[in-house]
Amino acid sequence: MNVPKRDTALAEINRRTYLLESLSTILTLSLPLKIAIASELKSFYGETGQFIEMQPKALVPDAQFINIEGQVLSISDFRERTLLVNIWATWCPPCVREMPALDRLEADFGGTDFQVVPISIDEEGARVVISFFKKHDLTALPIYLDPQQSAVHFNSEDERDDTLPIYGLPISFFVDRDGKLLGYIAGAV
């Protein structure tokens, strides 16, 4: 039996939304439910690839970026929270599609236990990102910028201890409360 592509795509979007919501609430759940969600995450696919679980769990690179006021921040400033660190750009079509879902995720679950940390690598900086946020009515997400792309590296030759690897855009890193990298998804979630 052939399932129309639209129905298949809608089912996949619903599955991804459910998994993101599950990830964001994992800390408040019972142990059996945490185990069930963790096993589901192992088969979680983004648009271009699978959720890659990190073993062993190492500290996430303490990448630096700025907020909209120009204050320098780093990943370690968000310890004690589970993070979804998303590297994106306004010119990236999958990023554009993903940002409204990340905004809803932050609106519904963001707080003292969980936060979405979207870091734009747009070279034009705040001007284009603020315009993008207004155009797409993104109101829950904070604006973080890395216009010099100093928080990321695109190949192993540029790798430093304080940069996040970029295997494509967008890329989302999942970080636990202790700053350990749980895994990542290259591509929109």
Side-chain angles (χ1 to χ4, degrees):
M1 178 169 114
N2 281 339
V3 178
K5 285 185 178 184
R6 182 172 183 262
D7 292 343
T8 304
L10 184 59
E12 182 62 17
I13 289 169
N14 288 337
R15 179 175 172 269
R16 290 178 188 173
T17 301
Y18 167 77
L19 287 169
L20 277 174
E21 290 171 355
S22 297
L23 177 67
S24 68
T25 58
I26 199 167
L27 292 177
T28 63
L29 303 176
S30 66
L31 182 59
L33 195 49
K34 286 181 186 179
I35 292 169
I37 290 171
S39 66
E40 180 68 19
L41 280 174
K42 288 181 181 178
S43 63
F44 182 34
Y45 285 82
E47 283 184 353
T48 60
Q50 179 179 359
F51 174 79
I52 306 298
E53 182 180 12
M54 304 306 289
Q55 289 293 342
K57 311 258 184 292
L59 286 178
V60 69
D62 200 21
Q64 291 190 337
F65 48 93
I66 59 174
N67 64 15
I68 197 67
E69 290 84 27
Q71 177 187 7
V72 176
L73 301 170
S74 66
I75 300 296
S76 63
D77 292 330
F78 298 89
R79 289 265 164 80
E80 303 301 320
R81 294 181 190 172
T82 300
L83 303 177
L84 187 160
V85 178
N86 181 264
I87 309 298
W88 71 286
T90 60
W91 46 262
C92 161
C95 302
V96 172
R97 288 192 304 274
E98 178 180 61
M99 290 303 285
L102 293 178
D103 191 65
R104 286 190 305 276
L105 184 68
E106 179 65 20
D108 292 345
F109 300 103
T112 58
D113 292 324
F114 173 79
Q115 184 170 353
V116 177
V117 180
I119 303 171
S120 166
I121 61 169
D122 282 278
E123 292 176 354
E124 295 84 8
R127 181 183 54 80
V128 296
V129 176
I130 291 169
S131 176
F132 178 91
F133 268 54
K134 286 179 182 174
K135 177 181 179 183
H136 295 279
D137 196 30
L138 304 177
T139 58
L141 288 172
I143 295 177
Y144 298 119
L145 309 164
D146 183 23
Q148 283 77 40
Q149 300 173 4
S150 58
V152 299
H153 65 268
F154 294 92
N155 59 56
S156 59
E157 294 169 9
D158 296 334
E159 186 174 354
R160 297 186 325 265
D161 289 342
D162 62 345
T163 61
L164 295 165
I166 301 298
Y167 306 112
L169 284 180
I171 186 166
S172 294
F173 298 93
F174 300 89
V175 181
D176 74 11
R177 299 173 68 92
D178 298 320
K180 292 188 178 170
L181 182 60
L182 301 173
Y184 67 90
I185 297 175
V189 291

